[in-house]
Amino acid sequence: MSRQIIIPFGPQHPVLPEPIHLDLVLEDEIVVDVIPSIGYVHRGLEKLVERREYTEYVYVAERICGICSFVHGLAYCQGVEGMMKIEVPERALYLRTIWSEYSRLHSHLLTLGLFADVLGFENLFMNAWRLREHILDDMEATTGGRVIQGSCKVGGVRRDISSEKLDQMVSGLNELEKEMKELTEVFLRDSSIKSRLCGVGVLPKKEAYEYGAAGPTLRGSGWSIDARKLGYAAFSKLNFEPVVETQGDCYARCAVRAKEMFVSIDLIRQAVQKIPDGPVEVKVTGAPDGEYFTRVEQPRGELVHYLKGNGTKNLVRSRVRTPTFTNIPPLVAMLKGCELADVPVIVHSIDPCIGCAER
Amino acid sequence: MGVFEMVGTVVRSVFRKPATLMYPVKTAKITPLSRGHVVIDVSRCISCRICQKKCPSQAIWVEPKEKTWQINRLRCNVCNSCVETCPVKCLTMDTHYIPSVTVRPGAELFHITYVKPPKPEITAESKD
Ligand code: SF4
Ligand code: SF4
């Protein structure tokens, strides 16, 4: 047996956008074990639920994550609405669907860009982010915020989108789709990218399930599990199939994200076609009492919000389980046996969002 | 032919104007809905402190006795909650972002100039 050494990776590392610390146990250049630790950006947002009124906590819930902020707000609102038995108007549900698919587009473009950056493909990174800017522009024009939308509220949504704007958004997406095809072609067919990704960080199907992987990490290993199939918001009325890849390597996870963007565009198109007229919010009175679990599909995987109220204006407990958190054990499994040079690529292939994972 | 996948994009990018903006020299893109910063109309604020209670980041401090309204711009996360809940609608959201700073400016202080109109006196004529 050769000598083992430990190399610390993170929390500050050129390829990491967010702080996670991994102790890599190496034998020569091969990683034999990984000890992950988090705790660098804990902000105590779950505790804050006791100090903010349940209607104001939406703003805090949105700020759990800077990328999938809308989906966090949506999950929280859904939880409170479930507890208080509020019927949300149909139009609001469709608008929520549209915005959450926009979030997915923006998150996937972001993460594919960062992925290209990790691979050393700088101009592909910039190209992905250039396309992402169009998505953010539409977000800002409809909600007022580029990344923190603040448009979801308990009982509906804060802003309506006019039908002209919806049509404009769809035609903008049609234009963007062409450019995105070009972008994803590079990810899926470029030989240098393939040589860095294929067969790297393999997560077999059985292990993916047993370690509790979520989202594209799970679907990249052959499981067709997608929380949108639960039919929350307006997803029950739209047709789509989860994107599944079977190889379980970094390439498969990248391919799932690349292909999911087109599913999202299609979902937005369907939603814009089917969106009914009507009010976008209902008046909310009273205070939540009871407990509620909600599950939604974040760009990174399944997100769970647990809320507990006691009939006062302040909830007593909020617990958030984010997909990155459950993707850490699969990450450890992927890293075992890989080469040191592949570690950044594998870490990025789960699309880590540590701010989310620590709240 | 993986090598030529991006040629179209490259050629287009050469002839297109830059995708980035020299912010802050040039103003940022804004839309009519953009949340930039909170503006108060001091002549209408009734010092009810609702904005202070509804602010999730505790950026606002109202002193009804001294008639002051303070906001800490660095605490404010521009969520629009105060603007929505102010009962007299004296708060508005300006679309321009506040400029970046290199020192913490502390709270910005406003003196409320609203004067409660005197109660209309009940006279013998108005009673009838
Ligand atoms: S915009 Fe939000 S954070 Fe800023 S002062 Fe108003 S309520 Fe507070
Ligand atoms: S700004 Fe509006 S909410 Fe705040 S104290 Fe004045 S009147 Fe009340």
Side-chain angles (χ1 to χ4, degrees), chain B residues 5 12 28 47 62 71 73 76 80 83 107 111 124-127:
Chain B
E5 222 85 75
R12 257 177 281 137
S47 319
V62 190
I71 182 166
R73 299 269 182 216
C76 167
N80 216 28
V83 177
H111 289 281
E125 295 115 70
S126 67
K127 254 185 184 169

Side-chain angles (χ1 to χ4, degrees), chain A residues 323-359:
Chain A
T324 303
F325 193 71
T326 57
N327 275 339
I328 290 176
L331 173 67
V332 170
M334 284 174 216
L335 284 173
K336 280 182 193 163
C338 79
E339 293 209 15
L340 178 61
D342 287 332
V343 170
V345 178
I346 299 176
V347 171
H348 252 283
S349 74
I350 67 159
D351 190 6
C353 172
I354 308 301
C356 242
E358 296 185 17
R359 306 165 301 280

Side-chain angles (χ1 to χ4, degrees), chain A residues 3 6 24 48 51 64 73 97 110 123 151 174 233 244 326 330 338:
Chain A
R3 204 162 61 95
I6 293 182
L24 305 170
L48 210 54
R51 310 288 298 276
I64 289 174
T97 310
L110 173 124
N123 36 15
S151 56
N174 289 344
V244 179
T326 57
C338 79

Side-chain angles (χ1 to χ4, degrees), chain A residues 86-97:
Chain A
I86 298 167
E87 279 284 324
V88 181
E90 193 85 331
R91 189 175 173 88
L93 292 179
Y94 272 91
L95 288 174
R96 284 178 179 183
T97 310

Side-chain angles (χ1 to χ4, degrees), chain A residues 89-214:
Chain A
E90 193 85 331
R91 189 175 173 88
L93 292 179
Y94 272 91
L95 288 174
R96 284 178 179 183
T97 310
I98 292 172
W99 279 318
S100 43
E101 287 315 304
Y102 260 89
S103 303
R104 199 175 316 278
L105 279 174
H106 123 68
S107 171
H108 282 355
L109 281 170
L110 173 124
T111 198
L112 286 176
L114 289 175
F115 204 44
D117 188 37
V118 170
L119 297 171
F121 205 154
E122 283 294 321
N123 36 15
L124 188 59
F125 154 63
M126 287 176 197
N127 198 23
W129 280 40
R130 183 174 63 78
L131 298 184
R132 171 173 170 259
E133 204 54 35
H134 296 285
I135 305 285
L136 294 182
D137 283 349
D138 268 351
M139 287 273 219
E140 183 165 10
T142 52
T143 65
R146 276 161 52 87
V147 282
I148 305 280
Q149 281 76 37
S151 56
C152 207
K153 71 188 263 189
V154 177
V157 292
R158 273 170 227 280
R159 303 188 188 284
D160 200 353
I161 312 181
S162 67
S163 49
E164 297 91 65
K165 180 67 198 166
L166 282 174
D167 293 337
Q168 243 179 46
M169 279 157 76
V170 170
S171 56
L173 283 181
N174 289 344
E175 285 296 306
L176 202 61
E177 196 177 9
K178 286 178 213 139
E179 295 204 46
M180 264 157 55
K181 279 238 167 68
E182 233 170 83
L183 180 85
T184 48
E185 280 290 282
V186 182
F187 275 104
L188 299 178
R189 293 199 16 224
D190 189 86
S191 54
S192 55
I193 290 195
K194 271 190 169 170
S195 67
R196 283 296 305 271
L197 301 183
C198 288
V200 174
V202 179
L203 184 68
K205 184 168 181 177
K206 186 161 158 278
E207 285 179 18
Y209 190 82
E210 283 173 357
Y211 286 130

Side-chain angles (χ1 to χ4, degrees), chain A residues 253-300:
Chain A
R253 290 187 278 279
C254 173
V256 169
R257 294 204 177 87
K259 291 175 187 167
E260 250 177 26
M261 293 198 292
F262 299 102
V263 176
S264 290
I265 294 184
D266 189 49
L267 279 169
I268 295 171
R269 268 195 222 117
Q270 288 183 37
V272 169
Q273 254 173 24
K274 290 188 182 165
I275 190 166
D277 285 332
V280 293
E281 55 175 307
V282 287
K283 207 168 153 35
V284 177
T285 49
D289 194 359
E291 299 176 275
Y292 209 83
F293 258 111
T294 76
R295 293 157 64 198
V296 295
E297 184 77 12
Q298 232 191 9
R300 296 177 171 79

